[in-house]
Structures are given as structure tokens and as C-alpha cells.
Amino acid sequence: MLTNWKITSFASAFALAVVGATAASAAPDHDDPTGLVIFPKIVVNSASSVDTRLHLSNTSSAPQMVHCFYVNANSHCTNNGAVCDSFADCEDGGIFGACVPGWIETNFDIFFTSRQPIGWVASEGLAADDLPCRATFLNPNPCVGQGSNNGTRIPPISEDPFIGELKCIQADSLTRLPVACTGSTCPNDFTGHAAITSSTTTDVATYKAVGLESVLNNADETLVIGGGTGEAEYEPCADILVMDFVYDGAVDPISGIYEASSELTLVPCTQDLRGQTTPPVTAQFLVYNEFEQRLSTSRRVECLLDTPISRIDTSQPPRSIFSVELGGTITGQARIRGVGGGLAGVGLLSLATDFEDPSTRVGWASYSLDTVAETEEDSPDTIFLP
Amino acid sequence: MRLLERNPRLSGLIAGLAVLALVGIRAEAQDLEVTSTEPGSIVVFPKVIADGTRDTIIMLTNTSNLMVYAHCEATNGIGRCVGSPDPDNQIYYCNSDEECLDVEAPDGAILENVGPCDLTCQPEDFEIALTAQQPTFWRVSTGRVQDPNLASGDACSDAGNSQMCPGFFLAPADNQGAGANVPGQEAFRGEVRCFQVDVNGALVTGNALKGEAFIEHLGVTGEGAGILSGYNSINVEGGETPADQNVATLDGVEYARCPGALTFDSLAPGQADPISDADVEVEFTFVPCTYNTVNPTSFRVQFFTYDELEASISGGDARACWANYTGSLTGGIMDRTTTYIRTTAAATHTGNCSSGSPVGFGCTSDSDCGRGGVCFDNECVSGDATGFVCANDADCGTGGECGDPSSVLGVVETIYTDGGLAPGTSAESAHHLADGENDDVMVFTGGF
């Protein structure tokens, strides 16, 4: 016979199971409008004519505002401050400096009129006369509906070359913080996409921004990403991402000529934008080929990881577990688990004459990573706003 | 009962459990999503091209630790003018007989009356088996055949009308066993959708499948070969075990409901890319959420575009089984003065012409169906005539229900033309703007 305490325990466990199952079903969302939008890959390099076009849309019938943060993930030389990829870029007068990872945020606001799309080029920004709906004393309602873009000033990215990310948070126009809300009252109105363009080809790679739906907010400077019921302010980030890829160096099955080259970009979900720090996350990779053979590797993600996949585990691409010479099949699946925090990211497939030489690229396409598990309730991610 | 009467706290507890269970079940039903970034039980690739100018690679992955089977349907959504064969075997694509009245040949000559337009939306089915965590791919124009003797790291090679590639490819079509062919598609512009099934070919809601499609230009080096568009598949999450082994009901319980409206962020057609200065064209591709291999589903899409000045214009059109709209040709609604636009699209409440001309096309009144035509407002969402147009439940057979017409799924592709250079392309699936309120039904025949 069940005693009352046993029944109560059973009921509690059942309730927790039900609530837990419900909470766990949320996931980063590339499809629905959301209150927090992440562009994991913004790249500008005028030397190779690469730039990124960004596009944000307000799907609401009311004017809305977002508070955005460019995160500059460039590394810099200790001896001369130049942007670098490795110490080999830091030679100055015969002396080599160290190449140190950096992390600098720049924040700004964008004011949208109702249902308005706004786009800009990362290297140029958007302000003043270029704003589509700029109200003046003589013309206070420059567009069809309510509101104007006054107050918007999107700066150009802070360095060239630039690799980094953009986060935009739907916010109150006065406090620049998310509005206090619960459940369905939380505003989730923004969609976004980015287009990476290079002059070496007419081809363009676009991807949909990662969105995190707002589910609760206390309007403070600490955004809780995931977590338990009553704690989580946004949907959880991915604990496990899945990236389908073509092995680096594999011959394209359509052209029969070009070699495939894939890139992976990952950003950690936890960031201290106030203290300009980010705790490193270790990305663990399980790589499967068509024979179901599994290889694995790990890589630290400090601020941002943007790399050809065959350089994730080695500096010699033909020796990589992402190389076709080791993979043995054309396509593979990588399961990417974030240890120490959630991750967001995007993939990119290129075709080139030589997969190790980006200047031989003829075409590219970007695509989203799939989420197969979210971060646990007891380990939410956190964004601290300045 | 006596126990409950003796212990009101216990009865309250059980009542609470029941409520929690109901809440849990309801929550689960609400949580099912149509998504491009989580695995699902039905995987849809709305835009698949293999027409001699471009070809498509489809990647399909099993994200689970169990063997998974997929029943796939490739539906050609573009018609061909078949009335007057061209001596050069040139294919002229069409959506209606009218488009075959005057056709421009490659040499610029105008050919008259090369119709009618053969638009049958004919599906071709095939099966794929995926071992635990197995990724795979195939080229749409050739399909793929297994060759266990091909050395790893080799390029793919021709195998008659098919293609052999390094790796393991299990396609047990028509009980031919491992190594059977996934068929190649000739002159194909349409969709591919795959259903997760069990070893007997019955639907299962395992949510193990995901994929990507890469559309690649053909041609020679330096003239466009290798230019890519890529997008994630649209995945329908499954919930409860389907009641029918070949009928997927997208009601939020068995499978996720399709979205009520889609939204696309893009450049405006006719504008210049602000980075490359290339001329921009935009293509919107839609497929109906409701699917029937026997009776193609027609649908009507209503567009709204919003530019940066917040101005909006709307327009609409009806198509059968697959639609590829060029932005500059959709009634001018996307001819905007700003660079960036947002386009929303939704299936309007419309019926199907059950008689008159054109039969099967979307309509809102009998007059849309030509002389003597009848516009039925709904289609059977269950019963013996599932997927067929209907006026009432009786038209749908025993226990059948006559319901709302199909929702739509979609992809946007942008084409960048810069002088004499080969056009660049980019693609992505739509954002979902509103939750769907209607049930859709996908019906297929066959299986292992």
C-alpha cells in the first residue's frame, strides 16, 4: 500500500518530470521571431574584398528597439598591436611578438518603425541621412506608420580585418534593457539574416541568425539563458549541435573538379559584456562518417572560434579527422558538445580548386547548425549587460 | 473509490496528477515544431533543381543511435510543353497551357503552340536506410548506387545513369537489397520529402532526420561552375504514434502543425547588392504542407512585402503542388525603392476547382474555375478520400472529415548578376511568423 508520503513523492516526481519535459523541449530558434538575435559570424577584410551584409526585421505592428553588441574577436600582436592569426603575423623589424586573443564589445541601438526591415553593410554601418525613416521637425512622420529611426546609429565595425559576432536584444527604448515580462507578454519580434560576400566570386553565403525566445524577464542587466522554470529569461542555448559537412578535400560529386572546404564558427552563449570577459567553453567533437565510424577531438572556444574544419584538430589539414583522407567518405556528421557552457554557431561550405587556398574558391553557401540537446536546467548561460 | 472518499487529500492529489498529466500532454502537443534547426520525423526540401543548368546535392543524416529508415518522395513540380517536340530536344518548362503558346527557343526564335503543358506533379518514391548516426548524400540528377569496392577518398564515378561514391549507401528500394539505386531525376524542378518509417514502411515519429540541400551551377570552370546555394531542410517534429501507417496528420499531436505564415528577409528585386553592386533577383519557392502522392495538392499564396519605408503591397497567386515565383514577376509587388525588404506569405483560405478548368487549382469562387467549374472550399483531411477536394464530410468517405486547405512551406533564393560574370546565389528557408491553426495531412503509398 502506498503511504501518503510515497504518493506525494511520486506526485512531485511526476510533476517535475512533466515540467522538466516541457522546459527541455525549448531550443534555440532560427525560424520564429525572437527577443534575442545572434549573428555568430561577421567577417570583413578589405584586402580580400570580403564583407558582411546584415538584415534585421521587426515583425511587430508596433515600433520596437534593439540594443546591439558587436563583439570584436580579433587577436592582436603584443609587439605592434596588429591584427593577427598567429605569431607568424607578428614579425616587426625581425622581432616576433605573441598573437593574443582579444575581446572588445561595441554597443549601439536601432529603432524600428512598425514591421520595418533594416539592413546595413558591416564595414559601413548606418546613420544619419542613410536612415530610411528619419524624422525632422518639419517631417515628424517620415514613413507610413508609427515611429521613426531617430536614435539609431550603427557604427562600422571597429577594425579591418574583422572577425566577430553581433548580438541584438529587444529592449525598452529608455532603459536599453529588456522589458519586464512573463510568458506570452514577453516581446519576441525580430528575425535576422547575414550575407557574406567576396569579390573573388559573385557567390554569396547567407545564414539565418540564431534566435533565443524571451520567456520571462525582470528587466535587469543579467540575462539568464536557459535554467529552471521561474529562472530562465530566454530559451536555452544548444548543449549539442549537429553539423553535417563535406569532408575537406573531398571532390565535389557534381562538378567532379572542385574540392570541398568547410568552415565552422562557434560562439559561447555566456558572455560578460560588462566586464569584457568570456569564460572559455570546450567544444567536444564526435565525428561520424558514412560507415558509422567515430573519431573525436576537442577545441577551446575563447570568445569565438572561426576555422576551417580541417584545422580544428591540427595545423596540417590532410591529417585532420575532418579530412577526406581520414574520413573515407564524402560527407560526415559532427556532434559538437559545449563543456562549460552552451554554444551557438553556423557552418559554411566552399568549393575551391585547392581546398587549402581560399583564394581559389569558386562558390560558397552557409547553413545553420541543428540543435539536438539544450543546456541543462542547472547550468544556464548568462549574459551580463553593461 | 472508497480510498478517495476516505482521503480527500489523496483524491485532490490524484485530481492534480490528472491535471498535470493533461497539462503535460497538451504542453507536449504545443511543443511540436516545424523547424529548420532540429531533427524531425518528416524532412522537406522545398527547392530541388536538376534541370541541366543546375544540380542539387541532398544531405540526409540520422541523428539517433538507432537504425532509421526513410521513405522519400521526389515530386517534379514543373511542367513541360509537350505538344510540339523540338528537333533539338529542348525542354520548355511551363506552369500552364498558356505558357506554351509562345515559347522562345535558345536561338531567339519564337515557337508557337508547343503545348499543352504536361504538369502532372508526378512523384517518384525511393527508400533509404541509415545506420546509427549515419550521414549520407546523393546527387539528384543521378541518384546514387552503392559500390563497396570504391576506395575511400576517391571521387565519385559514373555508374551508367547513376553515380557511385566512396562510402556506405543503403537504399533497399523495391526489396532489391543493399546497394539498390536511388533514382536520378531527369529535368527536375520540384521538391523532395522524406518520412521516417520503420522497417516495414510504416510511419514512426522518431525525430531522427535532418538535412541540407546544396544547389550547384553546372558549366565549365570560370563560368559559374561550383556556385552554390544552400539551405537547411524543413523538419516536422513527430509526437504520438500515427494512427495510420501511411497517413501523417499534422495536427500538433501526431506531427507538428505547419506555420500559419512565413516571412523572408531579402534584398529587393531590381535593387543592387550594396556590397558587390550586382543586380538582385529573388525567387520564392513554396510547397503545400498537405501532400498526397495520388492527388497533387494545390494552394494559393498571398504575399505582403514591407520595405524600409514601411510601405506594404500585397498580391496573390494559385499553383499546383510546387511554385517558384520570381520576385520581379509577382505582380510588381516587390518593385521597391529601398534595398531591403521583408516579405510575408501565407496560404489563403481557398478551395480547389473540382470541375471546369483548370481542375485542381486554387479558387475562391466558382468563377475562378472557368465555365461550369465548381470551387470546393475544402479538402478531405481524413477518410478514404484524404487529400481530395470536398464540399462536406460525406465526400471524404466513412469517418472522413472535410477541412481547411493546405498550409505552405518555403525557401527564398537570391540571384546576384554582375555584368558578364556567372550569377551568384544564396538561399535559406523561411522564418515562421505565425502558428498554424489548420491541420494538414501527408499521404504516401509504398514502403519497403
Side-chain angles (χ1 to χ4, degrees), chain B residues 225-273:
Chain B
I227 284 178
L228 287 176
S229 285
Y231 65 88
N232 292 65
S233 63
I234 299 169
N235 311 325
V236 182
E237 293 180 338
E240 295 182 2
T241 302
D244 191 307
Q245 65 175 4
N246 293 121
V247 179
T249 305
L250 282 68
D251 57 359
V253 178
E254 281 190 9
Y255 292 89
R257 276 205 173 98
C258 282
L262 309 177
T263 182
F264 305 89
D265 296 326
S266 72
L267 297 172
Q271 296 292 311
D273 182 308

Side-chain angles (χ1 to χ4, degrees), chain B residues 210-226:
Chain B
K210 67 176 288 279
E212 292 81 20
F214 294 98
I215 306 171
E216 181 176 336
H217 277 263
L218 303 174
V220 300
T221 304
E223 295 183 9

Side-chain angles (χ1 to χ4, degrees), chain A residues 25 31 114 116 202-203 252, chain B residues 31 212 216 308 310 422 425 432:
Chain A
S25 62
D31 299 308
S114 56
Q116 187 186 26
T202 53
D203 213 1
D252 166 36
Chain B
D31 286 342
E212 292 81 20
E216 181 176 336
E308 292 178 274
E310 212 186 309
T425 55
H432 301 160

